[in-house]
Amino acid sequence: SNQKEECLKIVRIAKANHANLKDDVNAMQSQVEHHLLMLQNSSSKNSKRHRNNNGVNGEVRQHLLDTNSNLSNQNSTLDRAKQVMAETEVVALEITEELSRNRETIESAHSRVRGVSSLTNQARRVLVNMQRREVQQKMVVYGVGVILFLALLFLLGFF
C-alpha cells in the first residue's frame, strides 16, 4: 500500500511536469509563429530597408533558429517524460498486482491460522473435560474402595 502510494505520487508528479512542459512548448511555438509573422510582415513592407540591414535580419534569423532548437529540445524532453511516465505506470500496475497477490496469500494464511486456533481451543476444552472426568472417576473408585473396606470390616465384626 505504501509502495503503491509512492508510485501514484511519482506518476502524479510526472503528469504535472508533462503538462508544464507541454504548456512551455505551446508558448514557445506561439512566440516563434508570432516572430515569423512579424518577420514576414516587415520584410514585405520594407524589403529595401531589410536588404540594407542584413545584420538585423541575421540576428532575428539566429534568434528564431535558437528558439526552434529550444523547442526541439523541449519536445525531446517531453517525449522522454512521456516514456518515463509510461514506464512508471507499468511499474505501478505491476506493484499493484503483486500487492494484490500478497494480500490474497496473507488472507489465506490468516484464515488457516484462525482454523488452527479454533482447533486448538477445541482440543483444550476436550483435555479439560478429560481431566475432570479422570478426577471424578478417581473419586468414585476411592469412594467405592472405602465403602468396600467398611463393608469388609462390618462383615468381619469390627463394628
Side-chain angles (χ1 to χ4, degrees), residues 15-104:
K15 284 184 179 180
N17 288 341
H18 177 261
N20 289 341
L21 290 172
K22 201 172 185 180
D23 290 342
D24 291 346
V25 167
N26 289 338
M28 292 298 273
Q29 284 176 337
S30 296
Q31 287 179 357
V32 167
E33 289 172 2
H34 176 71
H35 285 296
L36 286 174
L37 284 174
M38 295 295 287
L39 184 63
Q40 286 175 353
N41 287 340
S42 65
S43 69
S44 66
K45 290 180 181 176
N46 303 317
S47 60
K48 282 187 180 180
R49 196 170 81 189
H50 280 289
R51 285 182 194 144
N52 294 335
N53 294 328
N54 280 340
V56 173
N57 259 351
E59 288 176 15
V60 169
R61 180 179 291 266
Q62 186 59 44
H63 177 71
L64 290 174
L65 289 173
D66 291 343
T67 303
N68 279 338
S69 175
N70 286 339
L71 283 174
S72 177
N73 289 340
Q74 287 183 354
N75 279 337
S76 64
T77 301
L78 274 173
D79 290 339
R80 285 191 305 272
K82 283 180 184 178
Q83 183 180 7
V84 167
M85 190 171 63
E87 290 172 0
T88 303
E89 284 181 305
V90 167
V91 169
L93 289 174
E94 289 173 357
I95 289 172
T96 301
E97 289 172 4
E98 181 69 24
L99 288 173
S100 177
R101 285 191 298 270
N102 289 348
R103 180 183 181 136
E104 290 173 7

Side-chain angles (χ1 to χ4, degrees), residues 133-149:
R133 285 186 194 135
E134 179 186 13
V135 169
Q136 288 172 351
Q137 288 173 352
K138 281 183 182 179
M139 297 289 275
V140 168
V141 167
Y142 291 140
V144 168
V146 167
I147 290 173
L148 287 175
F149 181 71

Side-chain angles (χ1 to χ4, degrees), residues 119-137:
L119 289 174
T120 303
N121 288 336
Q122 243 179 344
R124 185 176 298 118
R125 283 192 300 269
V126 168
L127 284 174
V128 167
N129 285 338
M130 287 173 66
Q131 287 173 341
R132 190 177 307 127
R133 285 186 194 135
E134 179 186 13
V135 169
Q136 288 172 351
Q137 288 173 352

